[in-house]
Amino acid sequence: MQSENLRPQDKATGNVSRRTILGAGAAAAAGMLLTAGASPWSAAAASTYTWDAIVVGAGAAGLGAARKLADGGKQVLVLEARARTGGRLWTDRTSLSIPHERGGEMVHGNDVSTWDLIRQENLTTHRWEDKFAKINVNDSAWGSAKNYETFHFPQGVPSLPPRVPRPFAGETAEVWLARLGIPRSNYPIYFWVLEGDYEQFDVLPADFLVEELEFVMDMQRYSGTMPPEAYGDYRVIGGYDQVLKPLMRGVTIRKSTVVHTVEYGAGRVDIHTNAGSFRSRVVVMAVPGGVLKSGAITFDPPLPPARRAAIAGISYLSVFKGIMEFAAPVVPADAALPPRWDVTALFSENPPTLWDASRGTPGFAGQLIVTWMTGAKAQELLDLPVAQRIEAGLETVQKLAGDPGLRHLRATTYDWSKDSFALGAYPGPFSQTEGLSDPVGGVLFWAGMITSTVHESRDSGTAAANLALTALRRA
């Protein structure tokens, strides 16, 4: 598990601060137990006590499952391999001057399940409003996400029949678009956004883009300012991890406990870990699909062939996220942009996308800027030494500011594909989705394997817990 922090003075030597979280032994792990409410736990009885339910993994999916099970009156134990909770929701409170998100950062949507947690904790959020992009750094004007021109073709609308021609088998999005008379030079900004958030079109199968092209063609009849967006993206001020608190209350969580074997049969599951064995009537497996695919957890008996095949089909998207702290907000060189912005993108650069990760933070005079890319272009950055990854992001910021001498105070980045308890950031367009969540043997339930947002993860945990509660009632 690799944490990468970089200050400007480290650039010449490439020195990187690395932290390793190791699974504790049984005695040390006992000290990592969180008992937010009364529980039957005792170290001596660990191997003989039968819990109603065990949840493996204390990310948003596992904690969502644990909350539902505990609210259902069940004795539930959460086993977490890390020395912290949250999984890929990781608020770092030490590397930079204010809390920042190494993993998931945004509440995606206005009515998703995360909002009930935000309200319970009376948290403050900041909504992204000021979003701008250029296809090339030397373009004369910025496109605003509030305008229909985001969907317009810069070199003119292609001539297509009413029903968009379907791709050939195995055709990539880039090849398919070129066959339809849409070269990269005529991509609307919206297509570049899709590449930056999903996968580059020279890799993405064309089938994934058919509905998007139909949508863009329909948008050609509009121009000017769009109606206010119903959908929104929001940051939680003070740290996203605050939303986890209501999920953990009254739940027993044992950290630094690495599961290696799940032995299951009729009405009973034995979980074997680096810190001893635990028994329950049902189990919710809430670990990332990449971990399951790696074989780090053995199932006895082996999972059914169809389930093993589905797990083998899980694939993760390469994601680069670098975070830099500046002494003062970075003001765009172009006066057409507001001095304080939420998101900008220069799609001729790598990484292309920048967002303000500190706007709305009380009392903070500086600025945190996230530099972002996914897919094959992200992998190009991840293959570089850490100092060069940060420098690539800084160059994009410098071009936004028109200041080649601009420097950051400190920076941090993290490669989730190298994290042994994640083995990837989130699933990409090629990932298996079918046949992953059905219960196995009436005792194994599944959550969070291929989810890509916090609310989806939490909801998958709730759904798995509902199935487990039904099984417990029938037993």
Side-chain angles (χ1 to χ4, degrees):
M1 181 172 170
Q2 184 183 45
S3 176
E4 299 163 336
N5 302 294
L6 188 68
R7 297 171 185 264
Q9 60 265 32
D10 294 326
K11 185 176 68 170
T13 62
N15 290 334
V16 177
S17 171
R18 302 179 185 272
R19 302 173 184 172
T20 302
I21 297 177
L22 301 176
M32 301 303 292
L33 183 70
L34 300 181
T35 50
S39 79
W41 169 265
S42 74
S47 61
T48 58
Y49 181 83
T50 299
W51 297 81
D52 292 323
I54 289 176
V55 177
V56 180
L63 295 176
R67 174 78 277 135
K68 187 67 179 181
L69 289 162
D71 289 347
K74 304 305 177 185
Q75 292 288 351
V76 56
L77 170 67
V78 180
L79 300 178
E80 168 55 45
R82 305 178 192 275
R84 61 172 179 83
T85 57
R88 285 167 289 176
L89 195 171
W90 179 14
T91 302
D92 185 338
R93 300 178 179 277
T94 61
S95 298
L96 305 177
S97 294
I98 61 173
H100 56 283
E101 311 301 337
R102 288 184 174 271
E105 182 156 356
M106 307 302 297
V107 181
H108 297 289
N110 298 348
D111 57 357
V112 297
S113 60
T114 311
W115 285 102
D116 73 310
L117 305 175
I118 291 171
R119 286 188 288 269
Q120 286 182 57
E121 294 300 296
N122 196 29
L123 302 177
T124 302
T125 61
H126 172 76
R127 175 172 170 151
W128 277 355
E129 294 284 1
D130 299 316
K131 298 180 283 187
F132 306 92
K134 279 186 177 182
I135 296 174
N136 296 295
V137 68
N138 294 321
D139 288 349
S140 59
W142 290 84
S144 169
K146 296 180 180 179
N147 295 335
Y148 284 109
E149 281 69 21
T150 295
F151 305 104
H152 289 186
F153 295 90
Q155 297 173 350
V157 182
S159 178
L160 297 175
R163 186 177 185 274
V164 172
R166 268 32 189 179
F168 297 141
E171 201 168 25
T172 66
E174 183 175 86
V175 170
W176 175 63
L177 290 172
R179 180 165 62 82
L180 299 183
I182 309 173
R184 291 188 69 85
S185 59
N186 198 27
Y187 284 5
I189 286 175
Y190 180 68
F191 279 3
W192 293 94
V193 171
L194 291 179
E195 280 203 318
D197 281 347
Y198 206 43
E199 178 60 273
Q200 284 73 72
F201 287 2
D202 61 342
V203 176
L204 184 71
D207 289 338
F208 286 85
L209 205 64
V210 173
E211 290 186 6
E212 300 288 1
L213 178 57
E214 291 174 338
F215 167 72
V216 165
M217 293 299 294
D218 187 55
M219 290 295 102
Q220 302 309 301
R221 55 195 170 122
Y222 303 106
S223 63
T225 303
M226 291 186 286
E229 237 183 342
Y231 175 93
D233 289 310
Y234 302 80
R235 288 179 37 257
V236 177
I237 303 301
Y240 206 170
D241 62 350
Q242 297 171 98
V243 305
L244 301 177
K245 293 179 182 178
L247 301 178
M248 293 190 289
R249 291 190 183 112
V251 174
T252 303
I253 304 173
R254 185 181 177 111
K255 298 188 288 185
S256 298
T257 304
V258 182
V259 172
H260 57 75
T261 305
V262 177
E263 185 180 354
Y264 66 100
R268 195 186 88 182
V269 185
D270 290 305
I271 305 290
H272 305 292
T273 80
N274 65 319
S277 298
F278 306 87
R279 179 172 297 173
S280 66
R281 297 165 63 195
V282 299
V283 165
V284 175
M285 298 296 301
V287 297
V291 174
L292 293 173
K293 183 177 178 178
S294 74
I297 299 176
T298 299
F299 292 87
D300 182 13
L303 296 174
R307 178 57 55 88
R308 297 202 303 271
I311 290 172
I314 295 172
S315 66
Y316 277 70
L317 188 65
S318 296
V319 174
F320 170 75
K321 182 179 186 180
I323 311 168
M324 288 179 284
E325 179 178 345
F326 293 86
V330 173
V331 177
D334 191 332
L337 269 59
R340 199 70 191 252
W341 42 274
D342 290 310
V343 184
T344 62
L346 294 166
F347 289 113
S348 56
E349 308 306 305
N350 189 27
T353 303
L354 312 173
W355 70 72
D356 187 330
S358 55
R359 191 173 182 182
T361 302
F364 181 60
Q367 185 179 35
L368 302 190
I369 294 180
V370 168
T371 61
W372 173 265
M373 191 53 177
T374 65
K377 288 291 186 181
Q379 191 59 52
E380 290 179 10
L381 293 166
L382 294 173
D383 289 340
L384 296 173
V386 173
Q388 292 181 31
R389 296 180 214 167
I390 297 298
E391 193 68 22
L394 179 62
E395 289 175 6
T396 305
V397 179
Q398 291 170 339
K399 289 178 179 178
L400 170 69
D403 181 0
L406 180 67
R407 302 304 301 176
H408 59 279
L409 297 176
R410 55 191 67 85
T412 186
T413 184
Y414 195 74
D415 185 350
W416 286 96
S417 70
K418 299 295 193 300
D419 183 322
S420 60
F421 301 136
L423 297 179
Y426 54 77
F430 310 105
S431 193
Q432 169 76 30
T433 58
E434 298 297 325
L436 285 169
S437 298
D438 294 337
V440 172
V443 292
L444 298 184
F445 302 87
W446 310 82
M449 291 175 289
I450 54 168
T451 50
S452 57
T453 66
V454 172
H455 71 266
E456 289 174 338
S457 297
R458 187 258 183 114
D459 293 349
S460 75
T462 300
N466 279 328
L467 294 175
L469 285 169
T470 298
L472 288 170
R473 285 192 293 267
R474 291 173 177 170

